[in-house]
Amino acid sequence: MTAPTVTWQKSTYSQDQGDCVELAVTAQGAVLIRESDEPGVVLSTTPSALARFLQAIKHGAAAP
């Protein structure tokens, strides 16, 4: 079985530098996250869990 193709996006702030975090969304709505210098390691999460994580970072909350 072939893995589905996704389109990876990185921040425009990254420019042509390496070491970027990239995101992609699957057809099922999962959010995939990877480090550009380690593309074989991919994390999967939901949009709502990612939003909560980003809000926690923004507000300086400690991890549970």
Side-chain angles (χ1 to χ4, degrees):
M1 180 177 201
T2 306
T5 302
V6 295
T7 302
W8 291 97
Q9 298 288 317
K10 65 180 177 178
S11 171
T12 56
Y13 290 105
S14 299
Q15 300 171 5
D16 290 328
Q17 301 171 12
D19 302 333
C20 304
V21 173
E22 300 175 322
L23 299 174
V25 178
T26 68
Q28 295 77 25
V31 178
L32 304 177
I33 306 167
R34 72 179 184 183
E35 183 80 30
S36 62
D37 65 342
E38 197 69 46
V41 178
V42 178
L43 301 175
S44 178
T45 189
T46 63
S48 60
L50 179 59
R52 287 191 307 273
F53 175 70
L54 294 174
Q55 283 297 317
I57 292 171
K58 183 178 179 180
H59 297 297

Short mmCIF file of all heavy atoms in Angstrom, two decimals:
data_model
loop_
_atom_site.label_atom_id
_atom_site.label_comp_id
_atom_site.label_asym_id
_atom_site.label_seq_id
_atom_site.Cartn_x
_atom_site.Cartn_y
_atom_site.Cartn_z
N MET A 1 0.84 -1.18 0.00
CA MET A 1 0.00 0.00 0.00
C MET A 1 0.89 1.24 0.00
O MET A 1 1.84 1.34 0.77
CB MET A 1 -0.91 -0.02 1.22
CG MET A 1 -1.81 1.16 1.31
SD MET A 1 -2.89 0.94 2.76
CE MET A 1 -4.17 2.02 2.30
N THR A 2 0.59 2.20 -0.83
CA THR A 2 1.36 3.43 -0.94
C THR A 2 0.83 4.48 0.02
O THR A 2 -0.39 4.64 0.15
CB THR A 2 1.27 3.98 -2.38
OG1 THR A 2 1.67 2.95 -3.27
CG2 THR A 2 2.15 5.18 -2.55
N ALA A 3 1.73 5.19 0.69
CA ALA A 3 1.33 6.27 1.60
C ALA A 3 0.73 7.40 0.80
O ALA A 3 1.19 7.71 -0.31
CB ALA A 3 2.53 6.75 2.39
N PRO A 4 -0.32 8.05 1.34
CA PRO A 4 -0.93 9.17 0.62
C PRO A 4 0.05 10.34 0.52
O PRO A 4 0.88 10.55 1.40
CB PRO A 4 -2.15 9.52 1.47
CG PRO A 4 -1.89 8.93 2.80
CD PRO A 4 -0.97 7.78 2.60
N THR A 5 -0.06 11.07 -0.56
CA THR A 5 0.78 12.24 -0.76
C THR A 5 0.15 13.44 -0.07
O THR A 5 -1.05 13.68 -0.20
CB THR A 5 0.93 12.53 -2.26
OG1 THR A 5 1.48 11.37 -2.89
CG2 THR A 5 1.83 13.71 -2.50
N VAL A 6 0.95 14.18 0.67
CA VAL A 6 0.49 15.41 1.30
C VAL A 6 1.41 16.54 0.87
O VAL A 6 2.55 16.32 0.45
CB VAL A 6 0.48 15.32 2.85
CG1 VAL A 6 -0.54 14.31 3.33
CG2 VAL A 6 1.85 15.01 3.41
N THR A 7 0.92 17.75 0.98
CA THR A 7 1.71 18.93 0.64
C THR A 7 2.21 19.56 1.93
O THR A 7 1.41 20.00 2.76
CB THR A 7 0.86 19.94 -0.15
OG1 THR A 7 0.37 19.30 -1.33
CG2 THR A 7 1.68 21.15 -0.54
N TRP A 8 3.51 19.57 2.11
CA TRP A 8 4.12 20.14 3.30
C TRP A 8 4.28 21.64 3.14
O TRP A 8 4.65 22.12 2.08
CB TRP A 8 5.48 19.48 3.56
CG TRP A 8 5.34 18.06 3.97
CD1 TRP A 8 5.44 16.97 3.16
CD2 TRP A 8 5.04 17.57 5.27
NE1 TRP A 8 5.23 15.83 3.90
CE2 TRP A 8 4.98 16.17 5.19
CE3 TRP A 8 4.83 18.18 6.51
CZ2 TRP A 8 4.72 15.37 6.30
CZ3 TRP A 8 4.56 17.38 7.60
CH2 TRP A 8 4.51 16.00 7.50
N GLN A 9 3.98 22.37 4.21
CA GLN A 9 4.10 23.82 4.22
C GLN A 9 5.04 24.23 5.34
O GLN A 9 4.99 23.66 6.43
CB GLN A 9 2.73 24.48 4.47
CG GLN A 9 1.71 24.18 3.41
CD GLN A 9 2.01 24.91 2.12
OE1 GLN A 9 2.37 26.08 2.13
NE2 GLN A 9 1.89 24.21 1.01
N LYS A 10 5.86 25.22 5.09
CA LYS A 10 6.69 25.77 6.15
C LYS A 10 6.45 27.28 6.21
O LYS A 10 5.94 27.88 5.27
CB LYS A 10 8.16 25.45 5.95
CG LYS A 10 8.81 26.08 4.74
CD LYS A 10 10.27 25.68 4.68
CE LYS A 10 10.91 26.23 3.43
NZ LYS A 10 12.32 25.91 3.37
N SER A 11 6.82 27.86 7.30
CA SER A 11 6.62 29.28 7.50
C SER A 11 7.39 30.09 6.47
O SER A 11 8.51 29.74 6.10
CB SER A 11 7.09 29.66 8.91
OG SER A 11 7.11 31.07 9.05
N THR A 12 6.81 31.20 6.05
CA THR A 12 7.51 32.10 5.15
C THR A 12 8.69 32.76 5.86
O THR A 12 9.60 33.25 5.21
CB THR A 12 6.57 33.18 4.60
OG1 THR A 12 5.98 33.88 5.70
CG2 THR A 12 5.48 32.58 3.74
N TYR A 13 8.70 32.74 7.17
CA TYR A 13 9.82 33.27 7.94
C TYR A 13 11.05 32.38 7.79
O TYR A 13 12.16 32.81 8.06
CB TYR A 13 9.47 33.41 9.42
CG TYR A 13 8.48 34.50 9.70
CD1 TYR A 13 7.17 34.19 9.99
CD2 TYR A 13 8.85 35.84 9.66
CE1 TYR A 13 6.24 35.19 10.25
CE2 TYR A 13 7.94 36.84 9.91
CZ TYR A 13 6.63 36.51 10.20
OH TYR A 13 5.74 37.51 10.45
N SER A 14 10.87 31.15 7.39
CA SER A 14 11.98 30.20 7.27
C SER A 14 12.91 30.54 6.11
O SER A 14 14.08 30.22 6.13
CB SER A 14 11.45 28.78 7.07
OG SER A 14 10.69 28.39 8.15
N GLN A 15 12.36 31.15 5.08
CA GLN A 15 13.09 31.45 3.85
C GLN A 15 13.76 30.18 3.34
O GLN A 15 13.12 29.15 3.26
CB GLN A 15 14.05 32.60 4.10
CG GLN A 15 13.34 33.86 4.52
CD GLN A 15 14.30 34.94 4.98
OE1 GLN A 15 15.50 34.80 4.91
NE2 GLN A 15 13.74 36.03 5.45
N ASP A 16 15.03 30.24 3.01
CA ASP A 16 15.73 29.07 2.48
C ASP A 16 16.61 28.41 3.52
O ASP A 16 17.48 27.61 3.20
CB ASP A 16 16.57 29.45 1.26
CG ASP A 16 15.69 29.78 0.06
OD1 ASP A 16 14.60 29.19 -0.05
OD2 ASP A 16 16.10 30.63 -0.74
N GLN A 17 16.38 28.73 4.78
CA GLN A 17 17.17 28.12 5.85
C GLN A 17 16.68 26.70 6.11
O GLN A 17 15.54 26.37 5.85
CB GLN A 17 17.05 28.94 7.12
CG GLN A 17 17.51 30.38 6.96
CD GLN A 17 17.18 31.21 8.18
OE1 GLN A 17 16.81 30.69 9.21
NE2 GLN A 17 17.33 32.50 8.06
N GLY A 18 17.53 25.88 6.66
CA GLY A 18 17.12 24.54 7.06
C GLY A 18 16.49 24.58 8.44
O GLY A 18 16.19 25.65 8.97
N ASP A 19 16.30 23.44 9.04
CA ASP A 19 15.79 23.34 10.41
C ASP A 19 14.44 24.03 10.59
O ASP A 19 14.26 24.83 11.50
CB ASP A 19 16.80 23.89 11.41
CG ASP A 19 18.13 23.18 11.34
OD1 ASP A 19 18.16 22.01 10.93
OD2 ASP A 19 19.14 23.79 11.69
N CYS A 20 13.49 23.73 9.73
CA CYS A 20 12.17 24.32 9.80
C CYS A 20 11.14 23.28 10.24
O CYS A 20 11.27 22.11 9.92
CB CYS A 20 11.74 24.85 8.44
SG CYS A 20 12.91 26.02 7.73
N VAL A 21 10.13 23.73 10.93
CA VAL A 21 8.99 22.87 11.23
C VAL A 21 8.03 22.99 10.06
O VAL A 21 7.73 24.08 9.59
CB VAL A 21 8.30 23.29 12.55
CG1 VAL A 21 7.03 22.51 12.76
CG2 VAL A 21 9.25 23.12 13.72
N GLU A 22 7.57 21.84 9.56
CA GLU A 22 6.65 21.82 8.43
C GLU A 22 5.35 21.16 8.85
O GLU A 22 5.35 20.25 9.67
CB GLU A 22 7.27 21.05 7.26
CG GLU A 22 8.57 21.65 6.77
CD GLU A 22 9.25 20.81 5.71
OE1 GLU A 22 9.22 19.57 5.80
OE2 GLU A 22 9.81 21.41 4.79
N LEU A 23 4.25 21.64 8.28
CA LEU A 23 2.93 21.10 8.57
C LEU A 23 2.26 20.64 7.29
O LEU A 23 2.49 21.19 6.21
CB LEU A 23 2.03 22.17 9.21
CG LEU A 23 2.48 22.75 10.53
CD1 LEU A 23 1.55 23.90 10.93
CD2 LEU A 23 2.50 21.70 11.61
N ALA A 24 1.41 19.63 7.42
CA ALA A 24 0.58 19.16 6.31
C ALA A 24 -0.74 18.68 6.90
O ALA A 24 -0.83 18.34 8.08
CB ALA A 24 1.26 18.02 5.56
N VAL A 25 -1.77 18.66 6.08
CA VAL A 25 -3.08 18.17 6.50
C VAL A 25 -3.46 17.01 5.59
O VAL A 25 -3.35 17.11 4.37
CB VAL A 25 -4.15 19.28 6.42
CG1 VAL A 25 -5.51 18.77 6.82
CG2 VAL A 25 -3.75 20.46 7.31
N THR A 26 -3.91 15.92 6.20
CA THR A 26 -4.31 14.75 5.42
C THR A 26 -5.75 14.92 4.92
O THR A 26 -6.48 15.80 5.39
CB THR A 26 -4.24 13.47 6.25
OG1 THR A 26 -5.24 13.52 7.27
CG2 THR A 26 -2.86 13.27 6.86
N ALA A 27 -6.15 14.07 4.02
CA ALA A 27 -7.52 14.08 3.51
C ALA A 27 -8.53 13.80 4.63
O ALA A 27 -9.68 14.23 4.55
CB ALA A 27 -7.67 13.05 2.39
N GLN A 28 -8.10 13.11 5.67
CA GLN A 28 -8.97 12.80 6.80
C GLN A 28 -9.00 13.92 7.83
O GLN A 28 -9.71 13.85 8.82
CB GLN A 28 -8.52 11.50 7.49
CG GLN A 28 -8.65 10.28 6.62
CD GLN A 28 -7.53 10.16 5.59
OE1 GLN A 28 -6.44 10.68 5.76
NE2 GLN A 28 -7.82 9.48 4.49
N GLY A 29 -8.19 14.97 7.63
CA GLY A 29 -8.19 16.13 8.53
C GLY A 29 -7.14 16.10 9.63
O GLY A 29 -7.10 17.00 10.46
N ALA A 30 -6.28 15.08 9.65
CA ALA A 30 -5.21 15.05 10.64
C ALA A 30 -4.13 16.07 10.27
O ALA A 30 -3.90 16.34 9.09
CB ALA A 30 -4.59 13.66 10.72
N VAL A 31 -3.50 16.63 11.27
CA VAL A 31 -2.39 17.56 11.05
C VAL A 31 -1.09 16.78 11.27
O VAL A 31 -0.92 16.14 12.29
CB VAL A 31 -2.46 18.75 12.03
CG1 VAL A 31 -1.26 19.68 11.83
CG2 VAL A 31 -3.77 19.52 11.85
N LEU A 32 -0.21 16.84 10.28
CA LEU A 32 1.08 16.19 10.36
C LEU A 32 2.15 17.26 10.60
O LEU A 32 2.08 18.34 10.02
CB LEU A 32 1.39 15.44 9.07
CG LEU A 32 0.35 14.41 8.63
CD1 LEU A 32 0.76 13.79 7.29
CD2 LEU A 32 0.15 13.35 9.68
N ILE A 33 3.12 16.93 11.43
CA ILE A 33 4.19 17.87 11.79
C ILE A 33 5.51 17.13 11.65
O ILE A 33 5.64 16.00 12.09
CB ILE A 33 4.03 18.36 13.24
CG1 ILE A 33 2.63 18.94 13.46
CG2 ILE A 33 5.11 19.36 13.60
CD1 ILE A 33 2.29 19.17 14.92
N ARG A 34 6.48 17.79 11.02
CA ARG A 34 7.81 17.20 10.91
C ARG A 34 8.86 18.31 10.93
O ARG A 34 8.58 19.48 10.71
CB ARG A 34 7.96 16.37 9.65
CG ARG A 34 8.04 17.18 8.37
CD ARG A 34 8.20 16.31 7.16
NE ARG A 34 8.37 17.12 5.95
CZ ARG A 34 8.47 16.62 4.74
NH1 ARG A 34 8.40 15.32 4.56
NH2 ARG A 34 8.63 17.42 3.71
N GLU A 35 10.08 17.91 11.20
CA GLU A 35 11.24 18.79 11.16
C GLU A 35 11.88 18.62 9.78
O GLU A 35 12.10 17.49 9.34
CB GLU A 35 12.21 18.38 12.27
CG GLU A 35 13.42 19.22 12.41
CD GLU A 35 13.17 20.51 13.17
OE1 GLU A 35 12.29 20.55 14.04
OE2 GLU A 35 13.86 21.49 12.87
N SER A 36 12.17 19.71 9.11
CA SER A 36 12.67 19.60 7.74
C SER A 36 13.99 18.85 7.63
O SER A 36 14.26 18.21 6.62
CB SER A 36 12.82 20.99 7.10
OG SER A 36 13.76 21.76 7.82
N ASP A 37 14.81 18.90 8.67
CA ASP A 37 16.08 18.18 8.59
C ASP A 37 15.96 16.72 9.03
O ASP A 37 16.92 15.97 9.00
CB ASP A 37 17.17 18.89 9.40
CG ASP A 37 16.90 18.94 10.88
OD1 ASP A 37 15.75 18.73 11.29
OD2 ASP A 37 17.85 19.21 11.65
N GLU A 38 14.75 16.29 9.42
CA GLU A 38 14.48 14.90 9.81
C GLU A 38 13.10 14.50 9.25
O GLU A 38 12.17 14.19 9.99
CB GLU A 38 14.48 14.81 11.34
CG GLU A 38 14.61 13.44 11.91
CD GLU A 38 15.97 12.82 11.70
OE1 GLU A 38 16.99 13.47 11.91
OE2 GLU A 38 15.99 11.64 11.30
N PRO A 39 12.92 14.53 7.92
CA PRO A 39 11.60 14.36 7.31
C PRO A 39 10.96 12.99 7.50
O PRO A 39 9.76 12.85 7.29
CB PRO A 39 11.84 14.66 5.84
CG PRO A 39 13.28 14.38 5.62
CD PRO A 39 13.97 14.73 6.91
N GLY A 40 11.73 12.01 7.92
CA GLY A 40 11.15 10.69 8.12
C GLY A 40 10.41 10.54 9.43
O GLY A 40 9.67 9.58 9.62
N VAL A 41 10.59 11.49 10.33
CA VAL A 41 9.90 11.45 11.63
C VAL A 41 8.71 12.40 11.55
O VAL A 41 8.89 13.61 11.41
CB VAL A 41 10.85 11.87 12.78
CG1 VAL A 41 10.11 11.87 14.10
CG2 VAL A 41 12.06 10.97 12.83
N VAL A 42 7.51 11.84 11.60
CA VAL A 42 6.29 12.64 11.44
C VAL A 42 5.37 12.41 12.63
O VAL A 42 5.10 11.27 13.01
CB VAL A 42 5.56 12.25 10.12
CG1 VAL A 42 4.27 13.04 9.98
CG2 VAL A 42 6.47 12.47 8.93
N LEU A 43 4.92 13.50 13.22
CA LEU A 43 3.93 13.44 14.29
C LEU A 43 2.56 13.72 13.70
O LEU A 43 2.44 14.51 12.76
CB LEU A 43 4.23 14.49 15.37
CG LEU A 43 5.59 14.39 16.05
CD1 LEU A 43 5.77 15.57 17.00
CD2 LEU A 43 5.71 13.08 16.78
N SER A 44 1.54 13.12 14.26
CA SER A 44 0.17 13.34 13.81
C SER A 44 -0.67 13.80 14.98
O SER A 44 -0.55 13.29 16.10
CB SER A 44 -0.40 12.03 13.24
OG SER A 44 -1.73 12.22 12.84
N THR A 45 -1.53 14.79 14.74
CA THR A 45 -2.41 15.30 15.78
C THR A 45 -3.69 15.81 15.12
O THR A 45 -3.85 15.74 13.91
CB THR A 45 -1.71 16.41 16.59
OG1 THR A 45 -2.51 16.75 17.73
CG2 THR A 45 -1.45 17.66 15.76
N THR A 46 -4.58 16.31 15.94
CA THR A 46 -5.82 16.90 15.43
C THR A 46 -5.68 18.41 15.40
O THR A 46 -4.86 18.97 16.14
CB THR A 46 -7.02 16.53 16.33
OG1 THR A 46 -6.80 17.10 17.62
CG2 THR A 46 -7.19 15.02 16.43
N PRO A 47 -6.47 19.09 14.58
CA PRO A 47 -6.40 20.55 14.56
C PRO A 47 -6.69 21.17 15.94
O PRO A 47 -6.01 22.12 16.34
CB PRO A 47 -7.47 20.95 13.54
CG PRO A 47 -7.55 19.77 12.62
CD PRO A 47 -7.35 18.58 13.52
N SER A 48 -7.65 20.62 16.67
CA SER A 48 -7.99 21.21 17.97
C SER A 48 -6.87 20.99 18.99
O SER A 48 -6.57 21.89 19.78
CB SER A 48 -9.31 20.65 18.50
OG SER A 48 -9.25 19.26 18.65
N ALA A 49 -6.23 19.84 18.98
CA ALA A 49 -5.12 19.60 19.91
C ALA A 49 -3.93 20.50 19.57
O ALA A 49 -3.29 21.04 20.47
CB ALA A 49 -4.69 18.13 19.85
N LEU A 50 -3.66 20.71 18.30
CA LEU A 50 -2.58 21.61 17.90
C LEU A 50 -2.90 23.04 18.33
O LEU A 50 -2.03 23.75 18.83
CB LEU A 50 -2.33 21.54 16.39
CG LEU A 50 -1.23 22.45 15.86
CD1 LEU A 50 0.11 22.16 16.52
CD2 LEU A 50 -1.13 22.32 14.34
N ALA A 51 -4.14 23.46 18.14
CA ALA A 51 -4.54 24.81 18.55
C ALA A 51 -4.37 25.01 20.06
O ALA A 51 -3.87 26.05 20.50
CB ALA A 51 -5.99 25.08 18.16
N ARG A 52 -4.76 24.01 20.86
CA ARG A 52 -4.58 24.10 22.32
C ARG A 52 -3.10 24.18 22.68
O ARG A 52 -2.69 24.96 23.54
CB ARG A 52 -5.22 22.92 23.02
CG ARG A 52 -6.74 22.97 23.04
CD ARG A 52 -7.35 21.93 23.97
NE ARG A 52 -6.89 20.56 23.73
CZ ARG A 52 -7.44 19.72 22.86
NH1 ARG A 52 -8.48 20.10 22.15
NH2 ARG A 52 -6.97 18.50 22.72
N PHE A 53 -2.27 23.38 22.01
CA PHE A 53 -0.83 23.39 22.25
C PHE A 53 -0.25 24.77 21.94
O PHE A 53 0.52 25.33 22.73
CB PHE A 53 -0.17 22.31 21.39
CG PHE A 53 1.33 22.30 21.46
CD1 PHE A 53 1.97 21.91 22.63
CD2 PHE A 53 2.08 22.67 20.37
CE1 PHE A 53 3.37 21.89 22.70
CE2 PHE A 53 3.46 22.66 20.43
CZ PHE A 53 4.11 22.27 21.59
N LEU A 54 -0.60 25.34 20.79
CA LEU A 54 -0.08 26.64 20.40
C LEU A 54 -0.54 27.74 21.35
O LEU A 54 0.23 28.65 21.69
CB LEU A 54 -0.46 26.96 18.96
CG LEU A 54 0.17 26.05 17.91
CD1 LEU A 54 -0.38 26.36 16.52
CD2 LEU A 54 1.68 26.14 17.93
N GLN A 55 -1.79 27.67 21.80
CA GLN A 55 -2.29 28.65 22.78
C GLN A 55 -1.52 28.53 24.09
O GLN A 55 -1.20 29.54 24.72
CB GLN A 55 -3.80 28.47 23.02
CG GLN A 55 -4.66 29.02 21.92
CD GLN A 55 -4.49 30.53 21.76
OE1 GLN A 55 -4.45 31.27 22.74
NE2 GLN A 55 -4.38 30.97 20.52
N ALA A 56 -1.25 27.31 24.53
CA ALA A 56 -0.50 27.11 25.77
C ALA A 56 0.90 27.70 25.66
O ALA A 56 1.38 28.35 26.59
CB ALA A 56 -0.42 25.61 26.10
N ILE A 57 1.54 27.51 24.51
CA ILE A 57 2.87 28.09 24.29
C ILE A 57 2.78 29.61 24.31
O ILE A 57 3.59 30.28 24.95
CB ILE A 57 3.48 27.60 22.97
CG1 ILE A 57 3.80 26.12 23.04
CG2 ILE A 57 4.72 28.41 22.60
CD1 ILE A 57 4.21 25.53 21.71
N LYS A 58 1.80 30.13 23.61
CA LYS A 58 1.63 31.59 23.51
C LYS A 58 1.45 32.21 24.89
O LYS A 58 1.95 33.30 25.15
CB LYS A 58 0.43 31.89 22.61
CG LYS A 58 0.20 33.36 22.37
CD LYS A 58 -0.96 33.56 21.43
CE LYS A 58 -1.23 35.02 21.20
NZ LYS A 58 -2.36 35.22 20.28
N HIS A 59 0.73 31.54 25.74
CA HIS A 59 0.42 32.08 27.07
C HIS A 59 1.39 31.60 28.15
O HIS A 59 1.19 31.88 29.33
CB HIS A 59 -1.01 31.76 27.45
CG HIS A 59 -2.01 32.41 26.53
ND1 HIS A 59 -2.13 33.78 26.41
CD2 HIS A 59 -2.88 31.89 25.65
CE1 HIS A 59 -3.05 34.06 25.51
NE2 HIS A 59 -3.52 32.92 25.03
N GLY A 60 2.42 30.86 27.76
CA GLY A 60 3.43 30.43 28.71
C GLY A 60 2.99 29.36 29.68
O GLY A 60 3.56 29.21 30.75
N ALA A 61 1.98 28.60 29.33
CA ALA A 61 1.49 27.55 30.22
C ALA A 61 2.47 26.38 30.26
O ALA A 61 3.10 26.05 29.27
CB ALA A 61 0.12 27.05 29.75
N ALA A 62 2.56 25.77 31.42
CA ALA A 62 3.40 24.59 31.57
C ALA A 62 2.65 23.38 31.05
O ALA A 62 1.43 23.32 31.09
CB ALA A 62 3.76 24.39 33.04
N ALA A 63 3.39 22.41 30.58
CA ALA A 63 2.78 21.16 30.11
C ALA A 63 2.18 20.42 31.29
O ALA A 63 2.73 20.45 32.38
CB ALA A 63 3.82 20.30 29.41
N PRO A 64 1.04 19.74 31.08
CA PRO A 64 0.42 18.99 32.20
C PRO A 64 1.25 17.81 32.62
O PRO A 64 2.02 17.27 31.94
CB PRO A 64 -0.91 18.54 31.63
CG PRO A 64 -0.83 18.70 30.16
CD PRO A 64 0.31 19.63 29.86
#
